[in-house]
Amino acid sequence: DGAPLMRLSEIPLPGAHNVENTMAAAAIARLAGATHEQIRAAVMTFPGVEHRIEFVRELNGVRYYNDSKATNVDATLKAIAAFPGSLWIILGGKDKGSDYSPLRSALQGKSHAALLIGATAAKIKSQLDGLAVLECGTLENAIHEAHARAQSGDIVLLAPACASFDQFESYEHRGREFKRIVASLGVAQ
């Protein structure tokens, strides 16, 4: 109706693709009769979808995000684009025959390191030539490595670009394990 709906900074979900999704949903809601105030309130209180750039926790200024649903390179590229930089990205799992080289340019200048897990770690490492990579083997090792290295302002992102079936039952299982391990960080053992 020519009236602003909200500021981009007020959309709680990161990434240009989430802005596009928000605007599409807002247009449909408006056509269905919702007011700008109702749409704005819905957007600002929408928590997002589990395992899709899901904010998990902030600890010592480091933010942890679960995008276990990013089971292919394109989804991982969208997750990377959602953040300005300072990434510790966890990649790997079971290969789907993908070409991981597009991740190299997306991560160039945005990542501290790629933390590699699972059966596809060696293939991903070979295709990220020139980027810092840490071979961690397991999700738990990768999270602990990121926790030990990350500094305030950094982001730890699980966006594996692979299927989960080498170490997990499903992407949901992998995402739940990510959240469980992240929740345990900093807790006395």
Side-chain angles (χ1 to χ4, degrees), residues 32-188:
T35 66
H36 277 207
E37 294 76 25
Q38 291 169 324
I39 295 167
R40 186 174 186 280
V43 169
M44 293 188 69
T45 58
F46 181 67
V49 179
E50 188 176 25
H51 311 300
R52 291 165 180 85
I53 312 183
E54 173 189 15
F55 174 71
V56 175
R57 176 182 189 194
E58 183 171 334
L59 177 63
N60 300 325
V62 177
R63 296 173 60 87
Y64 293 80
Y65 287 88
N66 165 27
D67 196 0
S68 186
K69 179 65 171 130
T71 61
N72 60 64
V73 171
D74 185 59
T76 298
L77 289 169
K78 284 185 174 38
I80 293 166
F83 298 100
S86 296
L87 290 175
W88 296 91
I89 186 166
I90 301 172
L91 298 170
K94 184 174 184 198
D95 191 16
K96 294 178 166 183
S98 298
D99 174 9
Y100 301 98
S101 61
L103 298 173
R104 183 177 54 244
S105 60
L107 290 169
Q108 194 80 40
K110 283 188 101 168
S111 70
H112 294 291
L115 300 103
L116 306 181
I117 65 171
T120 311
K123 179 179 178 182
I124 294 172
K125 181 179 179 180
S126 73
Q127 294 183 8
L128 294 183
D129 186 44
L131 290 181
V133 296
L134 301 168
E135 295 183 68
C136 298
T138 67
L139 179 61
E140 185 164 14
N141 289 345
I143 293 167
H144 287 289
E145 191 69 41
H147 174 65
R149 293 172 179 260
Q151 298 179 9
S152 182
D154 288 351
I155 294 164
V156 177
L157 172 65
L158 169 64
C162 293
S164 57
F165 303 118
D166 60 335
Q167 296 181 10
F168 302 96
E169 297 169 8
S170 63
Y171 77 84
E172 294 99 336
H173 179 218
R174 177 174 57 197
R176 286 190 307 269
E177 282 300 296
F178 178 81
K179 293 190 291 186
R180 181 189 65 77
I181 297 163
V182 168
S184 73
L185 294 174
V187 176

